[in-house]
Amino acid sequence: MSTSRTPTRERILAVALDLFGARGFDGASLDDIARAVGVRKQTVLYWFPSKDDLVDAVLDAVAAELVAVIDAAVRAAPDEPLARIDAIVSAVFRPAVRRPALLGVVRESSRLPAERAHAVVQRLSPLIARAVSYLESEMDAGRLRRGDPGLIAAMGYATVTGIATEPALLRAVAWRPDAVGLRRLRDELRAYLRAALAP
Amino acid sequence: MSTSRTPTRERILAVALDLFGARGFDGASLDDIARAVGVRKQTVLYWFPSKDDLVDAVLDAVAAELVAVIDAAVRAAPDEPLARIDAIVSAVFRPAVRRPALLGVVRESSRLPAERAHAVVQRLSPLIARAVSYLESEMDAGRLRRGDPGLIAAMGYATVTGIATEPALLRAVAWRPDAVGLRRLRDELRAYLRAALAP
DNA sequence: ACGCTCGTCTACCAATTGGTAGAGAGATGT
DNA sequence: ACATCTCTCTACCAATTGGTAGACGAGCGT
C-alpha cells in the first residue's frame, strides 16, 4: 500500500476521468495522465494493465456514480409529475456542475466502438428506459402533455451532456452580461423543461 | 489538372470533412483520409501542406456552407416571429440531415485550441449574435415570451449539433417503435421550440 | 526534341504512442 | 536477519503519427 494519502490507483482514476472527459480517450495519452498524477507511465500500467482497462475503469466509475446519483434522486423525488421531473433534472445537474468531466466522459463514450460504449450505455439505459416508461404512464393518465417520451429523455440527455461539456456553449451563454453561469443556466433549463412539459 | 472526374483536392476535402466529423480531428489520420480517397498520404500533403492546413480548410468549408444556408434562410424567412424561428430552425436541420458530419465538425471544433476554433466560431458568431439580438428585440416588443436569448441560441446549437451527431441519441429516439427517424425528430423539436417560445 | 510545371509516387525520418522486461527500494512477517 | 510482497522505477521496443526529400511520368508550349 502506498504511503500517500489517497492511494495511487484512485488518483490515477480521478485524473484519467478529468483528462478523458476534457480531451477524449484518444486525446489523453498515458504519459499525460501519469504526468498529471506525478508518476511514471509504467506505474499507470501497473495499476491498469492496458489503456483499454483504464478506459473501462473510468467508464465504470462514471456510470456507477451517475446511476447512484440519479437513482437516489428518483427514490427521493416527490410524486407529483412536474415536481418529480424537476427534482431529477436538478439531480443530474448537480454532478454536471461539480464535475463537468463526468458527463464529458459519457459524451466521449458515444464515439467508442459500439461494444466498448456498452460499458456506459448498458448501465445507463435501464435508467433511461425507466424514465421513458414513467413518462409514458403519466401521459397515459393525462397528467403530462402528450409527446414522445423517448424524445424527451433524449433531449434531456442532449442538453445535460452537451451543455455541461461544450466550451462554445458556455461561452455563448456567458455572452450576456446578466448571465451568471451554470447555476442560472440550470434554472433556465428547468424552466424550459417545465414549459415544454406543461399540460 | 487531374484527369479524374472531380479534382483530387475536392475529393480530399470531402472525405476529410466526413472523417473529421465522425471521428474528430485527432481520430482521423492523414493515412486514413488518403486511403479513403484512394491516394497516398503524400498526395494529401501536396494539396494541403500540413494537417493543420487541411483542418483549417475543412473548418472553412463547413462554416461557409452553414453560413450560406442559414443566411439564405434568414433572408427568405417570414416576418412573424414564430414562423420565422420555425423556418430558420428547419433550414439548419436540412444540412444536418443531409450530411451529419457537417455539424459533427462544428462540434469537434469546440475541442480545438481556442485560436484554431475561431475559424468556425468567428464565422458563425455574427449569425448567432444576429439571432440573439433579433430574439431580444422581439421580446422587448412583447411578441415573444421573456427569457435569455443567448440561452435559446445555445440550446438550439446544442440540440442541432448534438442530436445530429450523437449516435446514442439517435438510438434513444429510435427505441420507440413509432419513431421514424430524423424527419419526425425535427418536427418534434420544432414543436418543442415553438412551445417553449410561445407567449 | 526540348525543358517545365503539375501531380503522384517511393523512401525515409523524428516524435509519440501503447506496451514489455526486469531492477530495486520499503515495508512486513517469520 | 532473511525472504517476500508491494509498488515504482529505468530501459527498451514496435507501430503509428505528421512531415521532408526527391524521383518519375504525363502533358504542355516552344
Side-chain angles (χ1 to χ4, degrees):
Chain A
M1 204 173 299
S2 168
T3 74
S4 169
R5 213 67 204 89
T6 44
T8 306
R9 197 193 131 96
E10 291 181 25
R11 278 184 299 149
I12 292 173
L13 208 52
V15 167
L17 198 159
D18 283 336
L19 291 187
F20 285 156
R23 306 188 212 158
F25 299 111
D26 283 345
S29 73
L30 292 182
D31 260 322
D32 294 335
I33 294 166
R35 208 174 305 122
V37 174
V39 90
R40 296 282 170 254
K41 176 180 63 170
Q42 288 68 15
T43 301
V44 174
L45 283 168
Y46 169 79
W47 291 105
F48 304 91
S50 75
K51 187 175 184 177
D52 279 358
D53 288 315
L54 176 55
V55 168
D56 284 342
V58 167
L59 290 178
D60 215 56
V62 167
E65 178 155 353
L66 283 181
V67 166
V69 166
I70 298 175
D71 223 43
V74 166
R75 268 196 302 277
D79 275 345
E80 193 273 317
L82 286 185
R84 188 175 180 79
I85 292 169
D86 195 48
I88 295 172
V89 168
S90 145
V92 175
F93 263 100
R94 211 167 301 134
V97 172
R98 182 165 40 87
R99 215 171 170 202
L102 209 68
L103 294 175
V105 167
V106 175
R107 177 184 160 211
E108 291 300 325
S109 77
S110 73
R111 237 181 351 192
L112 252 43
E115 74 279 10
R116 304 279 320 280
H118 280 6
V120 160
V121 172
Q122 277 181 356
R123 297 189 60 166
L124 290 182
S125 61
L127 280 181
I128 301 179
R130 230 162 67 199
V132 168
S133 75
Y134 167 76
L135 290 171
E136 277 179 324
S137 68
E138 291 299 315
M139 287 168 179
D140 285 342
R143 286 190 289 272
L144 282 180
R145 207 180 55 182
R146 260 264 150 251
D148 186 332
L151 181 64
I152 296 174
M155 280 196 65
Y157 179 98
T159 49
V160 171
T161 64
I163 292 221
T165 61
E166 286 260 14
L169 270 183
L170 295 178
R171 247 180 282 127
V173 173
W175 278 348
R176 310 270 355 265
D178 60 344
V180 294
L182 276 175
R183 186 169 196 87
R184 165 86 182 278
L185 174 58
R186 186 200 59 188
D187 293 341
E188 295 279 355
L189 276 177
R190 283 162 60 184
Y192 274 111
L193 249 185
R194 208 184 279 122
L197 291 171
Chain B
M1 208 172 302
S2 168
T3 73
S4 169
R5 213 70 202 90
T6 43
T8 306
R9 197 192 131 95
E10 290 181 26
R11 278 185 299 148
I12 293 174
L13 208 53
V15 167
L17 198 159
D18 283 337
L19 291 187
F20 285 156
R23 303 188 215 161
F25 299 112
D26 282 346
S29 73
L30 292 181
D31 260 321
D32 293 334
I33 295 166
R35 206 175 306 123
V37 174
V39 91
R40 296 282 170 254
K41 176 180 64 168
Q42 289 67 17
T43 301
V44 174
L45 284 168
Y46 169 80
W47 291 106
F48 304 90
S50 74
K51 188 175 183 178
D52 280 357
D53 288 315
L54 176 56
V55 169
D56 284 342
V58 168
L59 290 178
D60 215 56
V62 167
E65 179 155 352
L66 283 182
V67 166
V69 166
I70 298 175
D71 222 43
V74 166
R75 267 196 303 276
D79 275 343
E80 193 274 316
L82 286 185
R84 187 175 181 79
I85 293 169
D86 194 50
I88 295 172
V89 168
S90 146
V92 174
F93 264 100
R94 212 167 299 134
V97 171
R98 182 164 40 86
R99 214 172 171 201
L102 209 67
L103 294 176
V105 167
V106 176
R107 177 184 158 210
E108 292 300 326
S109 77
S110 73
R111 239 183 349 194
L112 252 44
E115 74 279 10
R116 303 278 321 279
H118 281 6
V120 161
V121 172
Q122 277 181 356
R123 296 190 61 167
L124 290 182
S125 60
L127 280 181
I128 301 178
R130 229 162 69 198
V132 168
S133 74
Y134 167 75
L135 290 171
E136 276 179 327
S137 69
E138 290 300 316
M139 286 169 179
D140 285 342
R143 285 190 289 273
L144 281 180
R145 205 179 57 181
R146 258 267 147 244
D148 187 332
L151 182 64
I152 296 174
M155 281 197 64
Y157 178 98
T159 49
V160 171
T161 64
I163 291 220
T165 60
E166 285 259 14
L169 270 182
L170 295 178
R171 246 179 283 130
V173 173
W175 276 349
R176 310 268 357 264
D178 59 344
V180 294
L182 275 174
R183 186 171 196 87
R184 164 90 182 277
L185 175 58
R186 186 200 60 186
D187 293 342
E188 294 279 356
L189 277 177
R190 284 162 59 184
Y192 274 109
L193 249 184
R194 210 184 277 119
L197 293 171

